[in-house]
């Protein structure tokens, strides 16, 4: 299946760190054949490959900070230009995270309209526990606290930005992966 309704599916997925964005995006790829565009995964690949960008991003990421908007906008613009994202649709995971990124995205997309921006809503205590159990390199106590703080400061206004444009759907993400998946698919189908 390549989409819902007319044309390829184009989504943005939000949610606090540890909310299960990456987890649910893997299922969206399977179900709808979309490209999973995770800026965090792209940055971690650049760090592992020790590219110039990776070397610059490494310290920012391990402290839980945000990489600069110009770098991020460039990465996403190039990625969205690729054939798979153009023809099969995409789900953006981890972008946009700031208002300037949201504004850049709307220019990058032009006529390619988003079906929805989905917020996977999970309480703070639960996401903190999930990240501690996962133990990724940036899942230190300070890193988690900093990332969650920046989410409130920088990314919460982006949710409001999408809500003001009637694009935001909220899905209760405080349940098992399978139940969250069922809720997510119903919400996407209702929005499409
Ligand atoms: P990024 O990779 O986006 O990390 P993040 O924001 O910290 O989000 P996570 O990946 O931790 O959360 P997730 O929602 O994907 O959770 P997951 O599915 O893994 O960004 C990393 C860094 O890159 C940033 O801090 C920043 O420095 C930089 N960066 C990236 N994009 C940027 C941008 N646009 N601008 C600037 N800087 C940027 O799930 C978490 C855990 O919970 C897993 O172990 C999973 O198995 C488990 N889990 C999932 N679902 C459930 C469930 N329903 N029940 C129980 N456990 C579950
Ligand atoms: Mg993730």
């Amino acid at each position: 299946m390549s989409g819902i309704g007319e044309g390829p599916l184009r989504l943005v997925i939000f949610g606090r760190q540890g909310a299960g964005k990456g987890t649910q995006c893997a299922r969206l790829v399977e179900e709808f054949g979309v490209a999973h565009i995770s800026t965090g995964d792209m940055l971690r690949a650049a760090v592992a490959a020790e590219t110039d960008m990776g070397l610059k991003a490494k310290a920012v990421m391990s402290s839980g900070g945000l990489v600069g908007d110009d770098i991020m906008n460039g990465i996403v613009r190039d990625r969205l230009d690729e054939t798979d994202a153009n023809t099969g649709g995409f789900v953006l995971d981890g972008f946009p995270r700031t208002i300037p990124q949201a504004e850049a995205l709307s220019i990058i997309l032009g006529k390619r309209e988003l079906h929805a921006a989905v917020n996977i809503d999970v309480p703070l205590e639960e996401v903190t526990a999930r990240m501690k159990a996962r133990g990724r390199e940036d899942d230190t106590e300070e890193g988690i606290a900093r990332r969650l703080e920046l989410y409130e400061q920088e990314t919460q206004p982006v949710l409001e930005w999408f809500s003001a444009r009637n694009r935001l759907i909220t899905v209760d993400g405080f349940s098992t992966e399978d139940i969250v998946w069922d809720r997510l698919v119903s919400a996407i189908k209702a929005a499409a």
Side-chain angles (χ1 to χ4, degrees):
M1 186 171 174
S2 65
I4 287 179
E6 278 177 40
L9 189 62
R10 290 186 283 264
L11 293 174
V12 175
I13 197 144
F14 288 105
R16 289 194 175 97
Q17 288 70 16
K21 299 180 294 293
T23 304
Q24 297 295 334
C25 281
R27 292 183 171 212
L28 289 169
V29 170
E30 285 284 306
E31 181 74 17
F32 299 113
V34 290
H36 177 203
I37 304 182
S38 160
T39 45
D41 288 349
M42 290 163 88
L43 289 169
R44 280 184 287 279
V47 170
E50 299 184 336
T51 65
D52 283 351
M53 185 185 71
L55 294 172
K56 282 185 203 143
K58 191 174 181 182
V60 177
M61 290 171 76
S62 54
S63 72
L66 289 174
V67 175
D69 289 332
D70 289 348
I71 293 179
M72 298 314 304
N73 295 343
I75 294 177
V76 171
R77 189 184 52 235
D78 291 350
R79 182 65 186 87
L80 284 170
D81 252 359
E82 289 178 31
T83 313
D84 61 340
N86 256 316
T87 58
F90 56 81
V91 53
L92 277 168
D93 163 6
F95 184 97
R97 251 175 162 90
T98 64
I99 293 287
Q101 291 181 14
E103 287 167 347
L105 178 64
S106 85
I107 294 168
I108 293 165
L109 289 178
K111 292 200 176 87
R112 289 186 282 176
E113 208 178 324
L114 284 176
H115 288 87
V118 184
N119 176 26
I120 303 184
D121 191 34
V122 180
L124 271 176
E125 304 72 45
E126 171 69 9
V127 292
T128 306
R130 287 184 192 176
M131 281 187 276
K132 283 185 178 157
R134 179 181 59 183
R136 204 170 69 194
E137 207 177 320
D138 54 347
D139 290 335
T140 59
E141 201 143 330
E142 306 77 54
I144 290 171
R146 181 75 183 129
R147 279 147 66 207
L148 288 169
E149 182 184 87
L150 281 171
Y151 191 83
E152 296 307 317
Q153 284 172 11
E154 303 286 344
T155 309
Q156 197 60 44
V158 182
L159 296 181
E160 283 147 30
W161 193 93
F162 279 100
S163 176
R165 286 158 183 77
N166 293 320
R167 278 287 174 276
L168 188 69
I169 320 170
T170 298
V171 169
D172 178 2
F174 191 14
S175 197
T176 65
E177 285 181 31
D178 286 344
I179 291 174
V180 176
W181 170 248
D182 289 343
R183 291 174 182 161
L184 179 63
V185 171
S186 305
I188 293 169
K189 287 187 172 161

